[in-house]
Structures are given as C-alpha cells and as structure tokens.
Amino acid sequence: MPAIDLGLPTPPPITPVRRRTRRIQVGDVPVGGGAPVSVQTMTTTNTTDIDATLRQIAEITAAGCDIVRVAVPSQDDADALPAIVAKSPIPVIADIHFQPRYVFAAIDAGCAAVRVNPGNIKKFDDKVEEIARAASAAGVPIRVGVNAGSLDPRLLTKHGKATPEALAESALWECALFEEHGFTDLKVAAKHHDPLTMIAAYRILAEACDYPLHLGVTEAGPAFQGAIKSAVALGVLLAEGIGDTIRVSISDGPVEQVKAGCQILASLGLRPRKLEIVSCPGCGRLQVDIHKLAARVEAAFTDFPHPLRVAVMGCVVNGPGEAREADLGVSCGNGKGQIFRKGEVIATVPEHRIVERLLDEALRLTEPDGAPPQAAPR
C-alpha cells in the first residue's frame, strides 16, 4: 500500500526521550534499547482450547497487539503450548505461577519468553539457577513480574504492605539472583492497582537498573475507570521515558485492552496514529446532536485502513478552525453540515448526509486515483 500523506499533526517535538535500557528479543519483537514500545495483552480462553486461543490471538493481532501472554496453570495447558506457539502470528509468553516445572515446559515448547511471579512460586529462589541455565541455553528471556496481590511474604513483613519500595525491592532481589548465575536477559514489572503507588515503584526501578520495564496498573477495574487509571499512570511514566512494553489491565476483552494501549501510545507520539475523531463535548450553542453524530462517524470509519483525523464539530465557535486542522471535518448548524477536506470547504450537505459524504471524501483522499470505489461502504 503506497504511503499517503494525511493531515496533522506530525509527532510533536516533546515526544518523550526514552530511558536507556538493555535490549532483549521476545521472538521477533525487540524490547528495550530504543525499540518501539510494545503493546501486550493476555488471552482469556482456556489455554487447553487451542483453536479458541488461536482465534483470540488472531483478533488481538488485528487490533495492534505485539506480544501475547497465555496462562499455564496446569500440565494440560503446558501440553497445549507447542501447537499455540507454532501457529501464533505474534510472540507467545507463558505466564507461570505456583509451579516452577511449567517454566521448563514453556521453554521446551518454544515460547518467546516466560513470565514468572517470584511471590507465589514455591521455593523460587532455589530454582533460579536451573531456570537461568535452561533459559540461557534456549535464548528465552524471563520477565520477573511482581504484583502487589502476590508479594513475597518476607517483604510484606518487612514493609507492612505492598509499598513502592517493597515492590521494587522484590523485583530487584530476583534480578540479582539471576545475575548471580550470569543471566541478564530480563524484563521487569512491579504492578499495583493504585496508579500513584505503581508510578513510584517504576521510578525506583528506572533509577536502580537498566532492564526494560513492562508497565501496567494491575486489576485496573471496569473499562471506564480502568482505562482512565491506566492512561494516567502509563502516560506519566511514558512521558518520562520510562517503559518498554505496556498492558492495559481493564476488566474488558483483550481486544479492548489492546485498543486502549495503542491509543495511549499514539496520544504520546509513541505509535503512528490511526483513526482519530476530534469532536466537541457539547454546549448550549449546538444545533445538532453532536454525541450521536460523532458516534455515527466513528462507527462508519471502524476498520478504516488509513491514518485519518476527522473533526466533528457542532457550532461556529471552534468548528471551522478544528475542521480545517483535520484531514476531513464537518461544522454543523441549522440542519446542515459544512464539509472540509484538507482545510478547504468543499460542500454543504443536509445533516442526514454528513456521514455518507465524509466517508466518500475519505475514500477520495486515500484512493490512488482520487475517486472512491464503485461500491463505497455505508
């Protein structure tokens, strides 16, 4: 597909300067060391259901996911890993808790990386040498994933609760154990459900080590609340240059988690934008149901294959200006919509034809010959 020069903005000059880290390789995805920030999520299927798991991986890949994690709570799940790894279009990380033997099964299955939770794996410290040796031989990175809800009891006793210091100390302690055996192919996470605690923990880690960091607000909550908490916490850290992979852990499907993660990165200039709807919040000047119109425009442009900024404005105060700053725009009033394309007014159409005309103009912008296909979608 040829490159298409569409609209504003170019990446802002305040795009975050990334923290310098080591680089690891998760399958074919580089992590850290200046590589783009990756979006991750976790499948919600039973890993033993190979077909359902692969279908979900295909869906999240289409949504923009870079790396996927699958749960391995049983031997049956471990036995399913080779088939999933072989057919997954993106790297697969095995998520291991409680039983260290599944770490070795995941490495043997060809997983791109393994996530271990030191806080709930029995006698984990005693297994580090063996894990490091197996992972090193296979070239498989290890993610040390510390969670507030499963913090090592020793550190809970020392700090009283899952403080930022406790989370960071746990992660750094386990990293030090791997380092003793010459293994540094590590990625580190220290998650908490409270954004401020999580931010503080990652700042400590960023100062104390040069490992790539995986960001997330764990158990962030329902979609609305969780997306806001995640955007605040991840946004603060990413704006400081901290973070190499992210997951938005909202109580919603993995596709929605991926979409939210991609949007957070795009908002910071860390990932190319796709569709962006600029629409006004509404006020007493409106002569159109702007909320309904914006929803109709968003639905019409779902899965549009090109990056595009579309402004949907409801009055003459900010409408024309915002519409001119977009690839396409409409400024509404008196039952009509003034259509803008690349800053120029090109038509005035009845309100019921606004969405149709915007879609036609989008196709004209993005088709090589400047004309929409014969059967433009409606």
Side-chain angles (χ1 to χ4, degrees), residues 118-119 146 150-163 165-174:
V146 175
S150 52
L151 192 63
D152 189 311
R154 294 169 295 183
L155 291 169
L156 280 176
T157 300
K158 175 181 177 180
H159 292 273
K161 61 180 181 178
T163 63
E165 294 76 14
L167 294 169
E169 182 177 343
S170 176
L172 293 169
W173 168 258
E174 302 303 338

Side-chain angles (χ1 to χ4, degrees), residues 41 43-45 51-66 68 88-90 253-259 274 303:
T41 190
T43 54
T44 57
T45 56
D51 289 341
T53 301
L54 287 170
R55 281 196 301 272
Q56 193 169 80
I57 292 175
E59 292 170 355
I60 63 174
T61 302
C65 191
D66 301 300
V68 64
S88 173
I90 56 177
V255 168
E256 297 307 311
Q257 295 178 13
V258 169
K259 288 180 178 178
K274 293 185 179 179
D303 299 326

Side-chain angles (χ1 to χ4, degrees), residues 333-355:
N334 296 321
K336 299 177 182 179
Q338 197 173 47
I339 307 294
F340 292 77
R341 186 180 67 202
K342 308 292 279 188
E344 300 292 332
V345 178
I346 59 169
T348 299
V349 299
E351 187 177 312
H352 69 274
R353 289 204 58 224
I354 288 173
V355 176

Side-chain angles (χ1 to χ4, degrees), residues 5-345:
D5 181 18
L6 289 177
L8 302 173
T10 56
I14 56 171
T15 298
V17 176
R18 302 281 301 286
R19 163 180 168 265
R20 290 191 175 190
T21 75
R22 305 176 189 219
R23 175 174 289 194
I24 64 173
Q25 196 70 27
V26 180
D28 60 359
V29 177
V31 174
V37 180
S38 301
V39 174
Q40 298 188 22
T41 190
M42 192 169 181
T43 54
T44 57
T45 56
N46 290 324
T47 306
T48 52
D49 190 337
I50 295 171
D51 289 341
T53 301
L54 287 170
R55 281 196 301 272
Q56 193 169 80
I57 292 175
E59 292 170 355
I60 63 174
T61 302
C65 191
D66 301 300
I67 300 169
V68 64
R69 189 154 42 106
V70 300
V72 188
S74 72
Q75 186 61 51
D76 289 341
D77 297 299
D79 292 341
L81 287 175
I84 294 170
V85 169
K87 295 184 178 180
S88 173
I90 56 177
V92 175
I93 296 177
D95 189 71
I96 309 298
H97 299 267
F98 303 112
Q99 295 294 340
R101 69 176 183 271
Y102 299 143
V103 174
F104 306 105
I107 292 172
D108 292 341
C111 287
V114 178
R115 181 274 175 110
V116 295
N117 186 342
N120 61 23
I121 293 181
K122 294 180 180 178
K123 298 183 178 179
F124 179 80
D125 294 0
D126 299 334
K127 294 289 184 180
V128 168
E129 181 178 6
E130 190 178 355
I131 292 172
R133 187 165 56 246
S136 180
V140 173
I142 299 292
R143 175 184 142 196
V144 175
V146 175
N147 269 9
S150 52
L151 192 63
D152 189 311
R154 294 169 295 183
L155 291 169
L156 280 176
T157 300
K158 175 181 177 180
H159 292 273
K161 61 180 181 178
T163 63
E165 294 76 14
L167 294 169
E169 182 177 343
S170 176
L172 293 169
W173 168 258
E174 302 303 338
C175 288
L177 292 178
F178 278 102
E179 290 165 359
E180 286 180 4
H181 303 290
F183 189 86
T184 57
D185 207 7
L186 300 169
K187 179 172 61 170
V188 184
K191 296 185 178 181
H192 197 283
H193 64 270
D194 174 62
L196 294 178
T197 303
M198 173 266 198
I199 290 168
Y202 277 99
R203 284 174 172 162
I204 295 171
L205 288 174
E207 287 290 328
C209 72
D210 64 353
Y211 292 117
L213 300 179
H214 172 73
L215 306 185
V217 177
T218 191
E219 294 105 23
F224 176 75
Q225 172 184 289
I228 291 174
K229 288 169 66 175
S230 297
V232 168
L234 272 60
V236 166
L237 290 169
L238 290 167
E240 295 176 2
I242 298 171
D244 302 282
T245 65
I246 65 170
R247 182 191 179 192
V248 178
S249 299
I250 54 176
S251 298
D252 205 337
V255 168
E256 297 307 311
Q257 295 178 13
V258 169
K259 288 180 178 178
C262 292
Q263 187 60 49
I264 289 170
L265 295 182
S267 297
L268 289 164
L270 294 172
R271 178 169 286 218
R273 65 186 178 91
K274 293 185 179 179
L275 175 67
E276 180 182 0
I277 304 292
V278 178
S279 58
C280 61
C283 71
R285 295 187 297 267
L286 293 187
Q287 296 176 335
V288 64
D289 187 337
I290 198 66
H291 302 150
K292 184 179 293 184
L293 178 59
R296 288 174 55 211
V297 171
E298 184 177 36
F301 281 88
T302 296
D303 299 326
F304 195 77
H306 302 290
L308 205 66
R309 171 179 277 187
V310 181
V312 183
M313 308 302 294
C315 79
V316 298
V317 174
N318 293 320
E322 289 288 355
R324 288 191 180 95
E325 290 294 305
D327 302 308
L328 292 171
V330 60
S331 182
C332 305
N334 296 321
K336 299 177 182 179
Q338 197 173 47
I339 307 294
F340 292 77
R341 186 180 67 202
K342 308 292 279 188
E344 300 292 332
V345 178

